[in-house]
Amino acid sequence: MRLVLFDDFQVGVLRGEEVVDVSHLFEDRHAPFPRTFLVRAIARFDALRPKIEAAVAGGRGRPLSACRRLPPLLHPSKVLAAPVNYKKHQAEMSAANTIHELGFFLKAPSSIIGPGDTIRLPFRERRTDHEVELAVVIGREATCVKAADALDCVFAYTILVDVTVRGGEDRSTRKSFDTFTPIGPALVTRDEIPDPQDLRMRLWLNGELKQDASTQDMIEGVAGLIQHASAIMTLLPGDILSTGTPEGVSPLKPGDVVDVEIERVGRMRLNVAAGWD
Ligand code: MN
C-alpha cells in the first residue's frame, strides 16, 4: 500500500496514476496543530488497514496529477539518520570513520518537505549537497530490538534527501535547515518491499545522473541500523530512520531540478532556490 497526503491534509492510497481518497477513515485529521494524525494512525494501522483496503477497492480514483502533494508524513517525533554508511561515499568524503564509530545524528522534523517542493539554500557562499537515501518509517514502539526482529518494526519505506551544508558545525545543525528533509513520494508499506537490501537508488541533477547505487552496498543494513538505534533511544511509531547516502553527492545551486528514484519505492522531483533573498 502506497499512502500519500494531498490537498487539505487528505489521506490517499495510490492506485497506479490515481489516488483514492480514504480521508473519512482518519477522523482526527483536522485536529489542531501539530498534525500528528498520521503518526497516530500508523500506531493503530493493523486495525485500520482492512478498512482502508475496503475503501480503496470500492473507491473512485482521481488523477494524482490534479492533487497538490504534501509530504507523506508530518511531525514524526524524530528523524534519525546514519552518517557514512556506504564505503564509496566514505572514500569520496575522505571520512576516517563510519556509522559504527560515528553513531547517529538527528535532523529536525520541521525540515521535512514533500514531492514537488523546493529546497531553499541558506548560504550563497557555502557548499550544500544532495544525498539520496532509503528511509524507514517505524511502525511500533521499539526498544533494544534484535536485528533478527528489526524489520517487524518497519511500517513503511520512503525516499529521503538528506540535504547537507558542508562545514564544521555539528551534523544536526548542518542538516536541519528548513526544507532540508524532502521525503516521499509515498509511504510504501513493508509488504511491498520484500528485501530492503536489494533496491537500486538514483538521483539526477538537472537530468544528469549523479548517484546510482544499490542498497546492497550499505555498511550496516536496515535491520542492523534499527538494532543499533533502538539500543540508544526508543523508536516510536512514525519515526523516520534514514540509512545513509551512496557515492556521487554534489553541490546544489538555485534553479536546479533534482529527481530521485528508489526501485519499488517511487520517484519524485524537487526544486532548488536561493534562501538568502
Ligand atoms: Mn546522509
Side-chain angles (χ1 to χ4, degrees), residues 82 105 131 133 162 164 175 244-245:
F105 61 91
E131 300 188 347
E133 310 194 359
D162 178 19
T164 304
K175 293 165 174 279
T245 197

Side-chain angles (χ1 to χ4, degrees), residues 36-45 72-80 109 112 135-142 153-156 158 160 183 187 234-241:
T36 52
F37 73 94
L38 197 52
V39 169
R40 287 194 295 279
I42 288 169
R44 60 186 169 89
F45 202 77
L73 180 64
L74 297 162
H75 302 292
S77 86
K78 50 192 169 292
V79 180
L80 198 59
I112 289 174
V136 166
V137 177
I138 298 296
R140 62 173 73 157
E141 197 167 310
C153 301
V154 174
F155 170 69
T158 196
L160 185 150
I183 61 168
L187 302 187
T234 296
L235 304 178
L236 299 174
D239 281 359
I240 297 173
L241 171 56

